[in-house]
Amino acid sequence: MDDAAFFNGLEQTRGLVERRLVQLLPPDGQAPAGLIGAARYAVLAPGKRFRPMLAILVARDFGAIDGSAIDAACAFEMVHTASLILDDLPSMDDASLRRGVATTHRAFNEANAILAAVALLNRAFGVIADDAGLTDAIKVELMARLSECVGFRGLVAGQARDLDRRGKTLSNDEIDLLNHQKTGVLLVAPAQAGALIAGADGTRLAAIGEFARRLGLAFQIRDDILDAEGTASEGKDLGKDAGMPTLVTSLGLAGARQAMQGYLDAARDALAEARCGDHAWRYASALFGPRKVAA
């Protein structure tokens, strides 16, 4: 498939995700209006939809029926959005801009933002539980992985580490652990979800997890580079990591770019071990290359 056809197909898939997210959320105007409005505002703001796209494309790479992974994919996007809402709060990063618009707590107040994040986390589990296209065994496995990626070894732990790092010096290994828990876990889980839905197991499932782990480390370095030298067109507050230990502060911009490329190379090697198609790789690598997937 040539690049034009591939990228057109990506946009069509992203459109399916957008429409399904609307269907899975409570309707606009439903009470309580502040809570529902905040949840819809946060989820439906323009975004890359990296996590759901990864789940769908991995499922496709492993031969799943088209559409079989879309609800699970949307569940991971709800979790990602909840994490962004919480990350932006005054007690966390105190951000004012996300995805090109005011952060949820600025637009709807802090209480509604917190409640919307909790509601989205819960809704994600419900979406998987209600998916009639999945077997009970797959539902249980996906919910277990969803729980793991949120909890004490996942996003929550990563956020706690992020708050604790301020004013401290961390080793590169400690920075990698923080980056994995803040970012990587929510790439590993949807990637492996897509593979599980397609029937992958054993070494191929482990390989796709390693692909996503390495990709997550590269993606966080990319985010740190953008934080250091990006522009307002990125759609979020910049300079939030100034003075905090990242691979950019540890290695410098050139060293961080080299580390990012190393993780991308390792991700590609892991994907080769998974013995599947290359849709996920073509999509993910476009986020780092000269042709960026639309934000």
Side-chain angles (χ1 to χ4, degrees), residues 21-156:
L21 284 168
V22 172
Q23 294 168 352
L24 291 170
L25 290 168
D28 192 26
Q30 179 176 310
L35 168 64
I36 304 304
R40 289 177 62 88
Y41 175 87
V43 173
L44 301 180
K48 291 181 292 294
R49 308 304 182 197
F50 187 13
R51 285 88 188 156
M53 291 290 288
L54 190 60
I56 291 168
L57 294 174
V58 168
R60 187 175 297 166
D61 283 339
F62 278 94
I65 298 170
D66 267 356
S68 59
I70 191 164
D71 279 12
C74 288
F76 285 105
E77 182 67 7
M78 290 178 184
V79 170
H80 174 56
T81 302
S83 75
L84 298 182
I85 293 171
L86 296 174
D87 188 48
D88 289 338
L89 289 172
S91 59
M92 305 286 181
D93 280 359
D94 194 17
S96 60
L97 193 66
R98 172 72 70 176
R99 291 175 167 174
V101 296
T103 48
T104 307
H105 69 273
R106 295 279 181 115
F108 283 85
N109 75 43
E110 190 173 351
N112 278 321
I114 293 170
L115 293 173
V118 173
L120 288 169
L121 288 171
N122 280 276
R123 179 65 179 131
F125 285 92
V127 167
I128 292 173
D130 290 341
D131 190 341
L134 302 179
T135 66
D136 288 346
I138 292 295
K139 289 179 185 180
V140 170
E141 182 66 25
L142 294 185
M143 287 191 283
R145 290 173 183 271
L146 186 59
S147 175
E148 181 77 4
C149 86
V150 171
F152 291 108
R153 293 191 296 179
L155 297 172
V156 173

Side-chain angles (χ1 to χ4, degrees), residues 183-200:
T183 301
V185 292
L186 201 47
L187 296 182
V188 172
Q192 289 193 316
L196 281 163
I197 289 168

